Amino acid sequence: MNQAAASRPDPRAPLAAFFSFVLPGLGQAYNRQFWLALLLGLPAAVLGWLVVSAAGQGTGLVSHLLDLRVLWAIIILNLALLVWRLVAIYQAHAARETPAWRRWTTWVTAGLLAATLFMHLVPAWYATATIDTLAAVGQGGSGAGGLLNVPHDVLDPQPSRTPPPPPWEEPEPTPAGLTGRFAVLLMGLDLGPGRNTYNTDTMMVAIIDPRTGPALISIPRDTFGTPLGDGRVYNAKLNSLFAYARIDPGTYPLGGPETMKAAVGALLGIQIDYIGAVDFLGFTRAVDAVGGVDVTVTRAVHDYGYRDEYNNLVGFHIEPGTHHMDGYTALAFARSRKGAGDNDYTRAERQQQVIAAMVTKLKSGAWLLNLPSLLNAIGDSVASDIPTELMPHVAHALAEADLTSIDRLVIQPPLVNSGWLTDGTYILNPDFPAIQAAVQQLLAGEAGPARPTD
């Protein structure tokens, strides 16, 4: 009779295991093992409190989750908590009966152990995927085809930076290593299918200043005669400089990224701290990964000559109003320029709108459930020279920026004037003093959103 009773399944065993599945130590309390319940439950309760406290940081949480030290700490603590929970669940069951595969109670507890393992594998995967993405995006990693990854023997060990003009007021360094105000050159690379060029048809400088707020400056691709910051002048369209600089180290010893930063810095009269690049297809995937963006269209666009990223003639049409755009629509809205009343300047204004909408969506956190797709899109198509240890500080600065009042400047006539080369090539001749004065006015918080010309 005793043997029969011992072999009979005890429903209290998987019930105790379930209690410890919910909270380590709870099953031990159910089994009246109170000291063991305290030993197993207290560390888990403290860790849970830390997680809830971190989640309550709002926008600051995202910046912490881009910190490699935090990510590795998450992996280690997650592994420790996994082992802790597995031990608590198994012990709670074993205190009631010895596990045996012929009993259904053992299978229930085994299911709880498997569920626990899965629950901890997911955050571990997210953390390792984020680490891989930061490695691809930061410091010229493999993102965007590794275009910013220039051989070390080509780079100057201490790359020169264009000295800022007298109006630029150098801010005090912050403990994070970033200056109070920093500028990032954003480049859209023409890397769609069927394209073998690396023209930077989209060039935009994003400036984050905690005192005056964020600012965006769009630079036309046809800008001609840009100074290189070393006494030379680039007598070609600015959108081709990156492509030539990355393959001709003899002429451009700084390589593509540093040459572009020096040239754009000399053009605008400011220091460009970092550079980032994204390709067309990567942009569409990133927008789709965050669930699309909301953009207010102020004027109808009817571009019958628009070609998609595969160079197919498809046309693009959109009416005024607020639209929820997927990746394809957002890219077409940002690239279209051949409709009635449109040009490179109106396109630049729309690109600024899409960038602002994308950052706003990222700040909302609504995309977290689709994090794997976003990480894949960013890791495959974005590259920058921002050191990985500064990524969380950049993210924090963006999170704290007031995106509802972005100061915008589109460099357009009269800051540039149309011209033609002897071979019939259309160019834009910049008025350097006027451009730099407009930039300084923008940085002083005295300029409103730029209005594109018709």
Side-chain angles (χ1 to χ4, degrees), residues 269-355:
I270 63 175
Q271 176 171 301
I272 305 298
D273 299 289
Y274 304 109
I275 191 171
V278 61
D279 65 58
F280 285 165
L281 292 180
F283 176 81
T284 62
R285 290 177 57 201
V287 172
D288 287 334
V290 300
V293 294
D294 296 318
V295 179
T296 299
V297 179
T298 58
R299 183 174 58 182
V301 178
H302 296 288
D303 185 352
Y304 293 93
Y306 176 74
R307 292 182 177 273
D308 64 14
E309 62 270 27
Y310 298 96
N311 205 32
N312 298 316
L313 181 63
V314 294
F316 176 70
H317 307 274
I318 194 167
E319 297 295 332
T322 299
H323 296 264
H324 184 75
M325 300 183 180
D326 60 10
Y328 175 86
T329 305
L331 179 63
F333 181 71
R335 292 183 63 217
S336 173
R337 66 185 179 91
K338 296 182 179 180
D342 278 331
N343 49 44
D344 276 342
Y345 311 123
T346 57
R347 177 171 71 168
E349 170 70 11
R350 292 199 299 269
Q351 289 169 353
Q352 292 183 352
Q353 285 183 272
V354 172
I355 292 295

Side-chain angles (χ1 to χ4, degrees), residues 345-435:
Y345 311 123
T346 57
R347 177 171 71 168
E349 170 70 11
R350 292 199 299 269
Q351 289 169 353
Q352 292 183 352
Q353 285 183 272
V354 172
I355 292 295
M358 185 69 172
V359 176
T360 299
K361 189 61 175 286
L362 289 172
K363 286 181 64 175
S364 72
W367 46 270
L368 286 173
L369 292 177
N370 207 23
L371 182 59
S373 296
L374 180 60
L375 291 175
N376 286 335
I378 293 176
D380 292 342
S381 58
V382 178
S384 78
D385 64 350
I386 301 176
T388 52
E389 62 268 20
L390 290 185
M391 289 286 188
H393 306 296
V394 174
H396 180 73
L398 289 173
E400 294 297 317
D402 182 7
L403 299 179
T404 62
S405 58
I406 297 179
D407 290 325
R408 300 175 184 171
L409 172 64
V410 176
I411 296 179
Q412 57 184 304
L415 301 180
V416 289
N417 300 297
S418 301
W420 301 89
L421 299 180
T422 55
D423 62 358
T425 300
Y426 174 77
I427 61 171
L428 292 172
N429 294 303
D431 184 338
F432 296 109
I435 290 175

Side-chain angles (χ1 to χ4, degrees), residues 2-3 102 228 273 319 321 358:
N2 290 335
Q3 289 180 346
R102 65 180 179 275
L228 294 174
D273 299 289
E319 297 295 332
M358 185 69 172

Side-chain angles (χ1 to χ4, degrees), residues 66 77 124 128 177 196-197 223 256 264 278 306 319 333 341 350 365 451:
L66 295 180
L77 289 175
T128 54
N196 55 11
T197 63
T223 302
V264 173
V278 61
Y306 176 74
E319 297 295 332
F333 181 71
R350 292 199 299 269
R451 300 300 179 194

Side-chain angles (χ1 to χ4, degrees), residues 30 61 81 87 117 128 146 208 221 267 335:
Y30 172 74
L61 177 62
L81 182 58
V87 169
L117 182 62
T128 54
I208 304 297
R221 59 178 184 166
L267 172 66
R335 292 183 63 217

